[in-house]
Amino acid sequence: MFFGAPQQAPGRAKLTVIKGEGVDGVTYLLNAVEHLAGRSDGAIMFPDDPLLSPRHASFVYREGKLHVVDEGSVNGVFIRVKAPTPLVPGALFLIGEQLLQIEPSPPDLGPQPDSEGTYFYASPKRPSKMKLIQRLRGGEIGMIYRSRNDTISIGREGNDVNFLDDPFISGRHAQITMAQDGQVTLTDLGSKNGTFVRINDELPLEHGDHIFLGQQLLRVEVS
């Protein structure tokens, strides 16, 4: 028999690291039942990535289908959206280098006095339907954008929210829409680098999916 590199088993998947400018890096064959990824534990390790937890995520087969599981990581697991994606209140998503969060705006009860009947002096508060929050290093809050309309467009220029200095954001990158029933949806507008949503605990994966773990962009390929 010819001795060569390990082969991908039929019906199994592989993960390919995407490096700068979209160049393929190392590939991991997922031939076992479960594969742990992290900074210091598991078969898929990135020891120089400080944004990865020691045990960050697992890739597991369930009934023959590959799933990714967040192992309680600090920074989460993000998947690239391929279609309009519903967002729950507090959902986190990545656009370029920006970590953003969406929240519905609470009802405005008008000025409220303190226990002594004194009203706090402040700028007038305009009504809004939802707010977009920029999350900074260390969990701090940066910019907050309150939308009076049912949509928020995000990009580098000419949008409701612009990030002029982010080279990884397209001119018109993504859009958030709120339906009449309050459901919020995130849509990528054909951006070059994509829009990524943080998963809740576990998610099934398809051929061609892209996942962010820490600073690592991985492409899923199913044989």
Side-chain angles (χ1 to χ4, degrees), residues 109-152:
L109 303 177
Q112 300 294 314
D114 63 14
S115 59
E116 296 180 339
T118 304
Y119 287 83
F120 180 77
Y121 181 81
S123 301
K125 182 179 179 181
R126 70 175 190 174
S128 64
K129 295 187 175 182
M130 52 183 166
K131 58 183 178 180
L132 184 67
I133 304 168
Q134 181 188 33
R135 305 306 299 262
L136 304 177
R137 289 191 182 97
E140 295 184 8
I141 293 177
M143 172 274 303
I144 298 178
Y145 176 81
R146 301 178 187 273
S147 176
R148 298 175 114 179
N149 302 315
D150 295 329
T151 61
I152 302 175

Side-chain angles (χ1 to χ4, degrees), residues 31-149:
N31 288 335
V33 175
E34 181 173 356
H35 309 77
L36 179 64
R39 194 177 71 248
S40 59
D41 294 346
I44 304 173
M45 287 195 300
F46 302 95
D48 298 325
D49 189 338
L51 300 184
L52 283 175
S53 296
R55 294 173 55 89
H56 197 100
S58 291
F59 295 89
V60 184
Y61 290 103
R62 304 197 193 283
E63 298 180 351
K65 189 173 184 62
L66 183 65
H67 291 64
V68 61
V69 181
D70 188 335
E71 295 288 347
S73 64
V74 172
N75 292 310
V77 177
F78 291 79
I79 187 167
R80 184 171 183 169
V81 302
K82 297 187 288 189
T85 302
L87 297 179
V88 298
L92 291 165
F93 57 98
L94 285 170
I95 292 179
E97 295 181 319
Q98 309 304 318
L99 178 60
L100 304 173
Q101 188 173 31
I102 192 71
E103 292 278 5
S105 294
D108 186 4
L109 303 177
Q112 300 294 314
D114 63 14
S115 59
E116 296 180 339
T118 304
Y119 287 83
F120 180 77
Y121 181 81
S123 301
K125 182 179 179 181
R126 70 175 190 174
S128 64
K129 295 187 175 182
M130 52 183 166
K131 58 183 178 180
L132 184 67
I133 304 168
Q134 181 188 33
R135 305 306 299 262
L136 304 177
R137 289 191 182 97
E140 295 184 8
I141 293 177
M143 172 274 303
I144 298 178
Y145 176 81
R146 301 178 187 273
S147 176
R148 298 175 114 179
N149 302 315

Side-chain angles (χ1 to χ4, degrees), residues 138-180:
E140 295 184 8
I141 293 177
M143 172 274 303
I144 298 178
Y145 176 81
R146 301 178 187 273
S147 176
R148 298 175 114 179
N149 302 315
D150 295 329
T151 61
I152 302 175
S153 59
I154 309 169
R156 201 171 58 249
E157 55 185 354
N159 303 276
D160 297 317
V161 178
N162 298 293
F163 297 96
L164 299 175
D165 299 327
D166 192 329
F168 301 103
I169 290 183
S170 298
R172 285 181 55 78
H173 197 108
Q175 180 172 281
I176 299 171
T177 305
M178 175 178 280
Q180 291 185 349

Side-chain angles (χ1 to χ4, degrees), residues 175-217:
Q175 180 172 281
I176 299 171
T177 305
M178 175 178 280
Q180 291 185 349
D181 62 0
Q183 176 62 63
V184 175
T185 301
L186 174 65
T187 304
D188 185 87
L189 299 178
S191 67
K192 180 179 180 181
N193 293 309
T195 301
F196 294 77
V197 174
R198 184 169 180 169
I199 72 168
N200 292 320
D201 301 325
E202 181 173 341
L203 189 75
L205 297 173
E206 304 287 347
H207 178 77
D209 280 342
H210 288 77
I211 301 169
F212 254 125
L213 306 177
Q215 297 174 317
Q216 312 303 317
L217 176 59

